[in-house]
């Protein structure tokens, strides 16, 4: 791990922090200018049955009587130290509310991610070994088919088929093992399609490269050629796709949770939106931003360690060095 | 496995001996009636030749002649969709109809392959050592440490200075010449009987080209390897091979010993090919260059068209300061061609960028047509560019493939807002006519044009602004020799008719000799020698210039290099 890498990494981490803070501020601004006044809509809604004293206490606790910039400053300074505030509706700490539902969402999305990766790898690598006449074309068709079906449709089909027809899981117990599995399949399939598409395109590109022909000329079998030469360069770009796919998992899990009736971040958000529980909304959106930034940061930091051609530099994303650079560097006079 | 191989070979030989006594030994490689097609397109038609043990044979032709396709067919590495028919016998054994499983043991072990572009021929994300171990695995040597030792010895054998460093490097950390040595090393490591080298030097500088070719010739002799050399350069082929096969459009035009094919070609195509090799025809365009020489004598007016004086430019790469251009000065009189010659990394590209105002020098001044290029604002530079145009080396990447030829050529006029749209159309037609292209091409896109036509379009694009100076950055290095000759002729007649001043950047000295009037030889950022073409070529003063000149393939075999001459030489030494 070189000095340049560490310097680049430090800069990238600092940038990531700035992005998270900006995302928080942006969310705050968007949430505050949403039409409708949470005080009249939620607190004074007779159905919620808050008394005048309770309303006053909540307003004071949330600082809703302060000007917006002051509210932003208070909220931001609490966020920086990890304090997400109190829910407007239940007056419980937002952190607790999230902690209650987070495990369920985490289980769902990691299972979905595992399924997506497994499917993508099977399809992608499969195209290299299944001969044309034995359905290679079918395999290649899967990703675009998967992409064209929204995940809630897949979810509904799975529920209908395996839940109602075959009775493999009980629809009223959405957190059971099998129900979780099928929810993960529904969520993972469209994500797998993106990864598989990139994998297939890269494998095709790499096997057309001159070095593949030269390696074959060295007497390598198809299996060794694939394992030693094609696997790594064609899988490397997938790291970037995975980082993006995780964002997709986040968004998709909200829909999937609704379709399968699971509790999770999705249901929490749904409730927060319908009751205009601003602190909860703010926290969930910021959490999503943190996850997204973090995953991309990891992808950026890992990539140079996997691909020797890529260097992490402070000013641009990544830099590819070429033989030309080093040839010039080695033949030009060095006068440092 | 090897023992088994030997067994089958010897059985086979015994069987051969039992047959009626052959008039001559079986050639190592015998190609007979070979045709290759992609779908309905036949790219190689009924080709046949023989390559004896320890001999070398060159397949010569331009792009599209099918020479590489023949090599790939012999190696059975045709891209998907390619179909070969006919007979290819290796060591008496028919290989074309063999199963993949049956042929694979021959790959690497018996038939080695050196590819064309060293930059793409090694896996970029694996170390050289890891890939060398694959070649070493063919040696039946179980001990990995011994295999590594053999690899390091082979690297030293092919002239790599620091084998250990090379072993641990990734391909992008080595230069093109080093990579080509690595690839040759990997190919000869299992000691194959046949080495197929597909344009092994076309991506390299002249001096490195000479060293690589010398290496191949030496290995061919020392290791008794037969060499199938694929090249577009008749001079290289004639210099290096025992026999030549000249191809055009997949059909053999002529074949035989270099002495006959090269010195007195019988076919029209071989004659044309010979006439187009710059190294063999230094004075081919003498008449067209005369006006420039006259301008040179009179000094071309009062002030030189281009004046570069004491220019230095440094870059900082990874914390180190590189002096890319070190105190260079030269002047170019109007109507003449000045050549900047040097190898990769000599600073010639930086010099061009400085001349075009794309980089600013640290010190020194550059003037074009009496106006300073250095220290100008971007807007002022734009005005200078009207008189100063660039033709880029690769016409396959420098033209936007989605634009029509008309739009491509008209773009500079649109950019500088010159004339009415009617006048612009007329100018575009005029420029195309100047480079010898018909109006029917106006609505075409670059993809429909040949390489030579594309480069003419690039020249027309530069001409349309009626500039005084055109910078030619290796304008023919991506083109075949005959196309190259075409472009040189276009450039020279334009200069004779329009009085253009050229700055010509090239590593090809033979071409410089044909085209230029004055020359600056660059080495490590400095101009080591400069003068008229005649002075530099006939009476070089610097060792570096002499080594460059010695690298030009002459087409005449060096008696100390050709294999059959070596034993005699060694005998006299004893």
């Amino acid at each position: 791990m070189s000095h340049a890498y560490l310097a680049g990494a430090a800069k990238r981490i600092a940038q990531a922090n700035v992005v998270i803070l900006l995302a928080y501020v942006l969310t705050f601004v968007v949430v505050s200018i949403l039409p409708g006044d949470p005080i009249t809509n939620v607190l004074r809604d007779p159905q919620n049955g808050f008394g005048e004293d309770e309303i006053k206490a909540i307003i004071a606790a949330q600082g809703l009587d302060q000007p917006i910039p002051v509210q932003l400053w208070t909220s931001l300074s609490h966020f920086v130290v990890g304090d997400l505030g109190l829910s407007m509706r239940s007056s419980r700490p937002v952190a607790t509310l999230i902690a209650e539902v987070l495990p369920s969402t985490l289980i769902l999305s990691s299972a979905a991610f595992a399924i997506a990766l497994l499917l993508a790898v099977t399809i992608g690598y499969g195209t290299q070994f299944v001969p044309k006449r034995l359905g290679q074309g079918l395999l290649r068709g899967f990703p675009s088919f998967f992409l064209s079906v929204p995940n809630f449709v897949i979810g509904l089909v799975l529920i209908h088929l395996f839940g109602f027809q075959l009775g493999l899981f009980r629809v009223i117990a959405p957190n059971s093992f099998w129900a979780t599995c099928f929810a993960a399949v529904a969520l993972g399939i469209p994500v797998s399609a993106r990864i598989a598409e990139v994998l297939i395109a890269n494998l095709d590109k790499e096997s057309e490269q001159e070095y593949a022909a030269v390696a074959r000329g060295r007497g390598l079998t198809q299996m060794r050629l694939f394992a030693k030469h094609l696997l790594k360069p064609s899988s490397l770009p997938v790291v970037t796709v995975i980082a993006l796919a995780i964002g997709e998992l986040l968004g998709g899990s909200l829909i999937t949770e609704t379709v399968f009736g699971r509790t999770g971040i999705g249901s929490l958000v749904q409730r927060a939106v319908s009751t205009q529980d601003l602190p909860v909304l703010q926290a969930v959106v910021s959490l999503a931003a943190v996850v997204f930034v973090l995953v991309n940061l990891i992808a950026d930091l890992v990539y140079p360690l996997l691909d020797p051609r890529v260097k992490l530099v402070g000013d641009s994303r990544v830099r590819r060095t070429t033989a030309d650079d080093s040839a010039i560097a080695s033949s030009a006079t060095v006068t440092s | 496995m090897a023992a088994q191989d030997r067994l089958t070979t010897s059985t086979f030989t015994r069987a051969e001996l039992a047959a009626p006594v052959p008039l001559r030994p079986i050639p190592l490689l015998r190609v007979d009636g070979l045709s290759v097609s992609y779908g309905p397109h036949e790219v190689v038609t009924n080709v046949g030749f023989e390559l004896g043990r320890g001999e070398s044979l060159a397949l010569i032709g331009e792009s599209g002649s099918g020479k590489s396709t023949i090599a790939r067919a012999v190696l059975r590495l045709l891209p998907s969709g390619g179909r070969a028919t006919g007979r290819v016998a290796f060591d008496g054994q028919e290989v074309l109809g063999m199963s993949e499983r049956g042929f694979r043991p021959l790959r690497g072990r018996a038939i080695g392959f050196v590819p064309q572009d060293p930059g793409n021929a090694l896996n970029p994300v694996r170390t050289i050592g890891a890939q060398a171990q694959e070649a070493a695995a063919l040696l039946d040597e179980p001990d990995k440490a011994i295999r590594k030792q053999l690899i390091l010895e082979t690297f030293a054998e092919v002239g790599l200075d620091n084998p250990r460093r090379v072993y641990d490097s990734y391909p992008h950390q080595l230069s093109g010449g080093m990579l080509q040595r690595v690839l040759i090393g990997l190919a000869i490591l299992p000691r194959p009987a046949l080495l197929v080298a597909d344009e092994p030097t076309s991506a390299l500088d002249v001096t490195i080209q000479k060293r690589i070719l010398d290496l191949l010739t030496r290995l061919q002799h020392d290791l008794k390897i037969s060499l199938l050399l694929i090249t577009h350069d008749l001079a290289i082929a004639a210099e290096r091979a025992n026999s030549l096969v000249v191809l055009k459009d997949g059909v053999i035009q002529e074949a035989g010993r270099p002495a006959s094919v090269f010195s007195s070609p019988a076919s029209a195509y071989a004659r044309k090919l010979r006439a187009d090799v710059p190294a063999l025809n230094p004075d081919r365009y003498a008449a067209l260059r005369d006006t420039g020489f006259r301008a040179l004598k009179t000094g071309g007016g009062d002030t030189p068209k281009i004046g570069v004086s004491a220019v230095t430019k440094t870059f900082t790469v990874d914390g180190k300061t590189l002096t890319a251009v070190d105190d260079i000065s030269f002047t170019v009189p109007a109507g003449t061609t000045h050549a900047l010659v040097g190898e990769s990394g000599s600073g010639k590209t930086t010099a061009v960028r400085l001349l075009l105002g794309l980089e600013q020098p640290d010190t020194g001044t550059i003037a074009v047509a009496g106006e300073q290029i250095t220290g100008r604002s971007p807007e002022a530079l734009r005005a200078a560019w009207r008189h100063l145009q660039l033709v880029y080396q690769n016409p396959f990447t420098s033209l936007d493939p989605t634009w029509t030829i008309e739009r491509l050529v008209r773009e500079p006029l649109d950019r500088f807002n010159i004339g009415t749209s009617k006048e612009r159309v007329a100018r575009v037609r005029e420029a195309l006519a100047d480079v010898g292209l018909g109006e029917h091409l106006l609505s075409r896109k670059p993809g429909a044009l040949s390489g030579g036509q594309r480069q003419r379009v690039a020249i027309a694009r530069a001409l349309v602004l009626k500039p005084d100076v055109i910078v030619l950055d290796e304008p023919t290095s991506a083109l075949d020799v005959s196309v190259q000759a075409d472009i040189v002729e276009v450039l020279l007649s334009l200069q004779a008719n329009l009085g253009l001043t050229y700055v010509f950047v090239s590593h090809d000295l033979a071409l410089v000799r044909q085209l230029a009037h004055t020359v600056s030889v660059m080495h490590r950022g400095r101009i080591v020698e400069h003068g008229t073409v005649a002075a530099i070529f006939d009476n070089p003063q610097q060792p570096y210039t002499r080594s460059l000149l010695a690298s030009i393939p002459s087409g005449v075999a060096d008696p100390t290099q050709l294999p059959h001459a070596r034993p005699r030489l060694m005998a006299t030494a004893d």
Side-chain angles (χ1 to χ4, degrees), chain A residues 191-203:
Chain A
V191 177
S192 80
R194 291 207 189 285
I195 302 177
E197 259 186 342
V198 173
L199 209 52
I200 292 174
N202 285 328
L203 278 166

